[in-house]
């Protein structure tokens, strides 16, 4: 585990911890490792029993040239108990822009293997490997490196790009596979961010060959492994005492931001924060998992009028700088003029706001919709089982990159939220929340090459 804030303003150096359990139910307190870095992995030598911490770390605070480092560690103290050493820094020029990362060490036959990612997390991202007769090295690179790199066929050619952070494993039947991260590039951007891929591995002269050395194509199948199919419609009525595991909150909550009703539904406890603040708003999120789906949420009845600054709604969210919102609030004409459905879209810092009057001081049966398509997000609403009124849309590329100087690669999530937007939720304001959420999926039909009209 790594504690880190990637933030050009609040520079928090990454620290490493691990926990242990004898039964996967009771867990130890965190053990803080002596080195700092990211992408840590513990490797126990099956021959000696020694445990090594392998990680990506800077050579110093002054130069900040990152590389793959290692030391033998005491699992109970986190301290290095032998030399802290540089292992292998991959195949690319090793300077301040180099990013050898994600070390995975394993043993096969007479060899120790060190599998890494390099090239950063964007178009140059790739997988390379070296081997040694000792977990300490020296390491001999595979002459065929990189062993996984769809960017070799053109950054704007194949849909699957940024193939890295691989792990190679064997099945009980002796077959080898690589599981790795990659992104689907759709018209030049990747709204879902990194996704998990699987490819077969064969071995030649003691080196792994991923996908028979061919590029990774979405249309390609192998063996008896089932292809990904269109998921069934998913509905959450918020029944039970805990949220479904697919939901999360932004950052670590320190106040009660929602309650689950005994009869079903979620009621928010709105605070001053919105999705645009780096704090903990009253919001829950779940990852967008398809490029062709509809996310919809039915609001609980709103029994009285909201003020202008009081909002409840849904969002497609990438970061505090990039989220496209739709919800309900008091209309801009002021108190006593009823409530409006509003949309707020952000394009590179430019805000596009619109609202539609509901002509009511209370709301019942309102459903909000986000229709996610490969190239577009559409926003709509319906009232009392009426057909959906689609209000606006935004290109999906606006949910796929960070502002200058910042960094994101997680991909978009859908959010439910309520906020006082800088002010405490007013005394006597109505209770707000959602009765249910529905995710409906459709066939994606994404081409092997990033070609869109």
């Amino acid at each position: 585990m790594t504690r880190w804030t990637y933030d050009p303003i609040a520079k928090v150096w990454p620290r490493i911890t691990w926990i242990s359990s004898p039964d996967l139910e009771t867990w130890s307190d965190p053990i803080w490792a002596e080195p700092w870095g990211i992408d840590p992995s513990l490797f126990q030598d099956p021959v000696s029993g020694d445990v090594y911490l392998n990680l990506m770390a800077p050579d110093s605070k002054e130069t900040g040239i990152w590389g793959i480092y290692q030391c033998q560690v005491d699992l109970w103290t986190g301290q290095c108990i032998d030399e802290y050493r540089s292992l292998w820094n991959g195949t690319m020029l090793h300077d301040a822009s180099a990013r050898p990362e994600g070390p995975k060490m394993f043993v096969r036959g007479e060899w120790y293997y060190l599998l890494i990612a390099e090239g950063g997390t964007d178009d140059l991202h790739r997988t390379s490997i070296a081997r040694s007769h000792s977990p300490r090295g020296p390491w001999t690179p595979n002459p065929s490196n990189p062993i996984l790199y769809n960017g070799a066929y053109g950054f704007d050619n194949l849909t699957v790009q940024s193939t890295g952070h691989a792990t190679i494993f064997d099945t009980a039947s002796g077959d080898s596979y690589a599981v790795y991260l990659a992104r689907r590039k759709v018209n030049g951007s990747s709204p879902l961010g990194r996704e998990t891929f699987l490819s077969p591995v064969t071995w030649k002269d003691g080196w792994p060959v991923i996908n028979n050395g061919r590029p990774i194509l979405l249309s390609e199948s192998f063996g008896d492994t089932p292809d990904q199919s269109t998921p069934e419609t998913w509905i959450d009525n918020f029944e039970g005492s805990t949220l479904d595991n697919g939901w999360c909150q932004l950052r670590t909550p320190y106040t009660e931001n929602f309650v689950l009703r005994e009869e079903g539904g979620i009621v928010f406890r709105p605070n001053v924060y919105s999705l645009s603040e780096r704090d903990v708003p009253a919001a829950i999120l779940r990852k967008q998992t398809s490029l062709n789906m509809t996310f919809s949420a039915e609001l609980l009845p709103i029994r009285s009028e909201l003020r202008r600054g009081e909002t409840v709604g849904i969002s497609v969210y990438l970061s505090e700088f990039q989220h496209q919102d739709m919800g309900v609030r008091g209309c801009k004409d002021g108190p006593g003029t009823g409530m409006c459905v509003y949309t707020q879209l952000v394009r590179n810092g430019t805000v596009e706001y619109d609202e539609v009057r509901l002509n009511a001081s209370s709301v019942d049966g309102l459903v909000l919709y986000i229709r996610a398509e490969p190239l577009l997000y559409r926003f709509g609403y319906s009232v009392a089982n009426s057909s959906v009124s689609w209000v606006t849309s935004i290109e999906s590329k606006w949910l796929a990159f960070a502002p200058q100087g910042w960094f994101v690669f997680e991909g978009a999530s859908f959010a439910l939220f309520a906020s006082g937007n800088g002010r405490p939720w007013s005394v006597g304001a109505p209770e707000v929340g959602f009765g249910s959420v529905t995710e409906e999926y459709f066939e994606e039909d994404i081409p092997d090459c990033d070609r869109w009209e």
Side-chain angles (χ1 to χ4, degrees):
M1 299 173 63
T2 303
R3 183 209 70 175
W4 195 15
T5 300
Y6 189 92
D7 185 331
I9 299 172
K11 296 179 184 288
V12 179
W13 284 95
R15 290 297 309 277
I16 295 166
T17 66
W18 57 76
I19 57 177
S20 61
S21 171
D23 53 13
L24 300 182
E25 293 182 1
T26 57
W27 293 88
S28 70
D29 291 333
I31 304 296
W32 290 85
E34 185 177 7
W36 64 11
I38 65 172
D39 294 347
S41 63
L42 292 170
F43 171 76
Q44 184 168 34
D45 186 349
V47 177
S48 67
D50 295 336
V51 178
Y52 296 88
L53 172 64
N54 301 314
L55 70 157
M56 175 191 181
D59 60 343
S60 67
K61 289 193 298 183
E62 290 72 29
T63 57
I65 299 177
W66 293 78
I68 304 300
Y69 285 83
Q70 179 198 76
C71 70
Q72 185 181 341
V73 292
D74 184 324
L75 283 177
W76 306 111
T77 67
Q79 298 294 303
C80 289
I81 56 176
D82 76 344
E83 178 189 3
Y84 182 68
R85 64 187 71 84
S86 173
L87 281 187
W88 177 57
N89 292 313
T91 65
M92 305 181 72
L93 180 65
H94 192 224
D95 57 18
S97 65
R99 287 293 184 268
E101 58 185 327
K104 308 290 195 312
M105 190 174 289
F106 63 96
V107 175
R108 184 182 176 92
E110 62 180 299
W111 294 104
Y112 294 83
Y113 291 88
L114 180 59
L115 186 64
I116 70 166
E118 54 180 335
T121 57
D122 208 336
D123 290 333
L124 292 173
H125 198 56
R126 64 193 71 188
T127 298
S128 299
I129 196 168
R131 68 187 183 188
S132 172
H133 286 296
S134 166
R136 294 178 172 88
W139 297 92
T140 301
N142 185 343
S144 298
N145 277 329
I147 60 172
L148 180 62
Y149 179 39
N150 257 26
Y153 304 93
F155 301 148
D156 298 316
N157 182 16
L158 299 180
T159 296
V160 179
Q161 294 287 338
S162 307
T163 46
H165 279 284
T167 298
I168 293 175
F169 66 95
D170 294 334
T171 66
S173 61
D175 296 323
S176 296
Y177 292 91
V179 60
Y180 53 94
L181 298 178
R183 59 191 179 92
R184 288 183 288 173
K185 206 168 188 179
V186 179
N187 203 29
S189 63
S190 302
L192 298 190
R194 286 172 161 178
E195 300 178 90
T196 305
F197 286 72
L198 180 75
S199 292
V201 173
T202 54
W203 292 84
K204 182 179 180 181
D205 299 327
W207 292 109
V209 179
I210 298 177
N211 202 42
N212 290 319
R214 300 192 305 270
I216 307 301
L217 303 177
L218 291 176
S219 63
E220 191 171 57
S221 301
F222 56 87
D224 297 327
T225 304
D227 291 336
Q228 188 177 24
S229 59
T230 302
E232 298 292 328
T233 297
W234 180 83
I235 299 175
D236 190 355
N237 294 312
F238 300 103
E239 297 172 332
S241 59
T242 59
L243 284 175
D244 179 88
N245 287 336
W247 293 105
C248 66
Q249 294 190 71
L250 287 173
R251 308 170 190 92
T252 302
Y254 52 88
T255 56
E256 184 183 56
N257 297 320
F258 66 86
V259 294
L260 298 176
R261 305 191 310 176
E262 289 185 5
E263 66 271 31
I266 182 171
V267 175
F268 282 114
R269 298 284 183 255
N271 56 44
V272 298
Y273 300 112
S274 72
L275 295 176
S276 296
E277 275 77 56
R278 181 165 286 194
D279 209 285
V280 185
I284 60 173
L285 301 86
R286 56 185 295 110
K287 190 77 170 62
Q288 181 185 343
T289 57
S290 172
L291 290 166
N292 195 13
M293 63 178 293
T294 298
F295 178 89
S296 61
E298 182 176 5
L299 278 82
L300 294 173
I302 303 175
R303 300 302 185 188
S304 60
E305 186 174 326
L306 295 171
R307 295 185 179 183
R308 173 70 178 167
E310 296 167 345
T311 57
V312 55
I314 66 176
S315 178
V316 55
Y317 177 96
L318 183 65
S319 73
E320 60 265 38
F321 304 107
Q322 302 142 284
H323 53 90
Q324 319 300 341
D325 305 340
M326 180 175 205
V328 178
R329 71 190 317 164
C331 295
K332 62 184 178 182
D333 295 339
T337 60
M339 288 185 285
C340 287
V341 171
Y342 77 94
T343 55
Q344 183 168 291
L345 310 182
V346 180
R347 291 180 174 88
N348 199 25
T350 300
V351 178
E352 176 184 308
Y353 180 87
D354 196 11
E355 61 181 41
V356 178
R357 189 179 299 277
L358 292 172
N359 295 316
S361 58
S362 63
V363 173
D364 198 356
L366 178 65
V367 182
L368 304 176
Y369 297 83
I370 299 176
R371 179 70 173 94
E373 301 172 8
L375 304 183
L376 199 69
Y377 290 99
R378 292 189 289 149
F379 298 80
Y381 71 97
S382 66
V383 180
N385 297 318
S386 65
S387 60
V388 180
S389 297
W390 297 105
V391 177
T392 190
S393 64
I394 190 169
E395 301 94 326
S396 59
K397 67 180 181 181
W398 295 108
L399 273 298
F401 61 89
Q404 186 175 359
W406 299 78
F407 191 74
V408 293
F409 49 75
E410 298 90 346
S413 295
F414 295 113
L416 309 178
F417 68 88
S419 175
N421 293 287
R423 297 176 64 89
W425 198 252
S426 58
V427 176
E431 186 176 79
V432 293
F434 293 85
S436 66
V437 166
T438 300
E439 292 182 349
E440 185 177 4
Y441 300 88
F442 310 94
E443 184 179 358
E444 289 186 322
D445 193 25
I446 307 300
D448 285 330
C449 294
D450 188 17
R451 301 287 186 268
W452 297 83
E453 301 197 0

